[in-house]
Amino acid sequence: MLCGILEQHYTSQEIALMKTIICILAVLSLALVSCDPPTSSDNNNNVNNTNNTNNVNNTNNVNNTNNVNNTNNVNNTNNTDPCKGMDCDGFGTCEVIDDAAVCQCDECYWHEDDDPLTCVFYGCDDKPVIYLYPEQTTTVRVAFADLSHLALTHTYPPYPDDGWLVSAEPDGTLHDISTGQEYYALFYEGTATFHMGISEGFVVSGTDALAFLEETLAYLGFSRREANEFIIYWLPQLEQHPYNYLRFLQDEWESMVPLTVNPVPDSVLRVLMLHVPVDETFSCPPQTLVPVERHGFTLVEWGGRTLAGQAIH
């Protein structure tokens, strides 16, 4: 009906234009409807969505915090000091070596039964000196064959990695090949990393120490000069105690601290005196001493070790 009325008053082109305008207005009307402000329900949904998003973010943050805490826990575990609480029996300093705690023991102390966290008194090897008496002036190299059981603390002249190299004269005078310096003996001091048991030996009072040493050293084969130097060093230490347990290590010392000497000596006299101060006398089996007959190229060594506080009975 509307179309009939329009056809009476307008041309077909005008009617087509009108239809086009009506279509455009319809499209605009739909667009305006879609742009209406959101309802309260929509707002609630959006708020909920926002809250949900925040909750997710908060959860992620919590997770991230947990991850950080976990990381910190791992780091704390990794950073745990292996030396914490280790006092090394009061006679050393704990150090971390290859991620493990090891006690660096004070001088004269070492690990008990190879336990690296202990430091017990082993005693020091006091003033071992080595004399060399060739039959004619000879270049001699003296080296420690095995230092796995001996931690050197002092040497004179300084001990090179390949051992001492000296020119030795028949009277015992030594000259360092590298420096030309003159010496009368080779000196070393250190801590031997093994226990020396107490069994047979001698119990000597402080007042009898001088006579005992004079007789014993002469019997073993020491010269007067060597005996004098031994006694000068040890007599004050023995006389200050009421009694002293003494034992002379010969073959045992050679096996504990072997030497490599080139040329090889014809006779060797090596003695380490084991000394334990005691307050009272006691009985022990007497030690059988083995004298050394000196001949040809002779090497002589004497030293000692004090085992303070050692239980012997």
Side-chain angles (χ1 to χ4, degrees):
M1 179 177 177
L2 177 60
C3 292
I5 295 172
L6 291 174
E7 289 175 352
Q8 294 177 1
H9 298 281
Y10 299 96
T11 65
S12 59
Q13 291 179 345
E14 291 173 334
I15 292 172
L17 178 61
M18 290 179 184
K19 288 181 180 181
T20 300
I21 293 172
I22 291 171
C23 289
I24 292 172
L25 292 174
V27 171
L28 291 175
S29 176
L30 291 174
L32 290 175
V33 170
S34 65
C35 291
D36 287 344
T39 63
S40 59
S41 175
D42 291 335
N43 287 336
N44 289 338
N45 288 336
N46 289 335
V47 170
N48 288 337
N49 289 335
T50 301
N51 289 339
N52 289 337
T53 301
N54 289 336
N55 289 337
V56 170
N57 290 336
N58 289 336
T59 301
N60 289 335
N61 289 336
V62 170
N63 289 337
N64 289 336
T65 302
N66 289 337
N67 288 337
V68 171
N69 289 337
N70 290 336
T71 301
N72 288 337
N73 289 336
V74 171
N75 289 337
N76 289 336
T77 301
N78 291 336
N79 292 332
T80 300
D81 185 1
C83 283
K84 186 176 182 180
M86 301 296 177
D87 65 353
C88 301
D89 299 315
F91 298 106
T93 303
C94 185
E95 296 183 3
V96 179
I97 300 177
D98 295 331
D99 298 325
V102 176
C103 286
Q104 299 296 333
C105 298
D106 296 341
E107 188 173 338
C108 305
Y109 289 79
W110 197 252
H111 308 308
E112 183 175 22
D113 298 327
D114 294 326
D115 182 349
L117 300 180
T118 62
C119 289
V120 297
F121 186 79
Y122 269 63
C124 286
D125 303 322
D126 292 325
K127 200 179 181 259
V129 291
I130 299 172
Y131 308 91
L132 300 173
Y133 304 102
E135 294 184 289
Q136 57 188 8
T137 301
T138 305
T139 299
V140 183
R141 185 179 297 278
V142 180
F144 295 100
D146 183 1
L147 279 175
S148 61
H149 295 296
L150 178 66
L152 293 174
T153 54
H154 308 286
T155 61
Y156 183 74
Y159 181 78
D161 292 338
D162 56 352
W164 289 295
L165 184 63
V166 296
S167 174
E169 299 178 14
D171 66 355
T173 302
L174 308 177
H175 289 91
D176 189 301
I177 294 297
S178 61
T179 65
Q181 187 64 268
E182 180 178 314
Y183 305 92
Y184 75 87
L186 304 174
F187 164 82
Y188 71 94
E189 192 171 285
T191 301
T193 58
F194 41 73
H195 283 297
M196 297 182 189
I198 295 174
S199 53
E200 60 181 20
F202 308 94
V203 179
V204 181
S205 69
T207 56
D208 293 334
L210 175 57
F212 174 82
L213 290 179
E214 290 277 23
E215 180 181 353
T216 302
L217 297 177
Y219 177 77
L220 287 171
F222 288 97
S223 69
R224 284 305 302 158
R225 177 189 177 187
E226 296 156 0
N228 286 346
E229 292 173 351
F230 187 109
I231 292 170
I232 288 170
Y233 181 83
W234 279 103
L235 185 61
Q237 301 185 51
L238 301 184
E239 288 186 330
Q240 66 179 319
H241 301 290
Y243 293 93
N244 304 274
Y245 168 84
L246 303 176
R247 180 181 167 199
F248 296 87
L249 305 182
Q250 294 181 266
D251 292 341
E252 301 102 314
W253 185 239
E254 177 63 35
S255 64
M256 292 173 183
V257 184
L259 294 176
T260 298
V261 183
N262 186 24
V264 178
D266 299 305
S267 56
V268 175
L269 172 58
R270 299 185 66 198
V271 174
L272 184 91
M273 185 181 73
L274 193 63
H275 168 227
V276 182
V278 293
D279 294 329
E280 57 187 26
T281 188
F282 64 94
S283 297
C284 69
Q287 179 183 6
T288 301
L289 300 176
V290 180
V292 173
E293 182 179 350
R294 300 165 67 144
H295 63 279
F297 174 24
T298 300
L299 180 148
V300 177
E301 176 187 345
W302 65 260
R305 168 184 283 197
T306 296
L307 300 180
Q310 173 74 49
I312 56 177
H313 63 286

